[in-house]
Amino acid sequence: MKEHCSHRTDCLKMIQLILDGEATEQQLARLKVNLESCKPCIEMYHLEKEVKELLTKRMEKKCCPDQLVATIKSKILSFS
Ligand SMILES: [Zn+2]
């Protein structure tokens, strides 16, 4: 297991592609090999994944259009 990554920029790019669901089969296979031998990249992968999940959750929470529309409508009505 490598303690230091000599191709960190490449790894990060690939990790982001995969988390965005835009990586090709070939890229996926390459990253898998990388992640098995490269400690910093494993950590980076988990960190990126966590951040992405957090962002997704926050977006889902924010996005409840029906309730939002109802709230805005009632506010407009209370002003008129
Ligand atoms: Zn790496």
Side-chain angles (χ1 to χ4, degrees), residues 3 5 7-8 11 16 18 21 37 43-44 49 52 65 70:
E3 291 290 326
C5 182
H7 42 81
R8 216 176 164 121
C11 289
Q16 283 171 339
I18 284 163
S37 60
E43 282 162 10
M44 194 158 64
K49 203 176 154 198
K52 195 157 177 84

Side-chain angles (χ1 to χ4, degrees), residues 2 4-12 14-15 31 34-35 37-42 44:
K2 282 187 284 179
H4 296 284
C5 182
S6 52
H7 42 81
R8 216 176 164 121
T9 318
D10 279 348
C11 289
L12 181 64
M14 273 199 286
I15 288 168
L31 187 80
N34 260 338
L35 287 182
S37 60
C38 196
K39 203 179 160 202
C41 287
I42 297 172
M44 194 158 64

Side-chain angles (χ1 to χ4, degrees), residues 19 42-53:
L19 291 176
I42 297 172
E43 282 162 10
M44 194 158 64
Y45 176 76
H46 288 297
L47 190 75
E48 287 287 317
K49 203 176 154 198
E50 233 167 87
V51 169
K52 195 157 177 84
E53 274 165 13

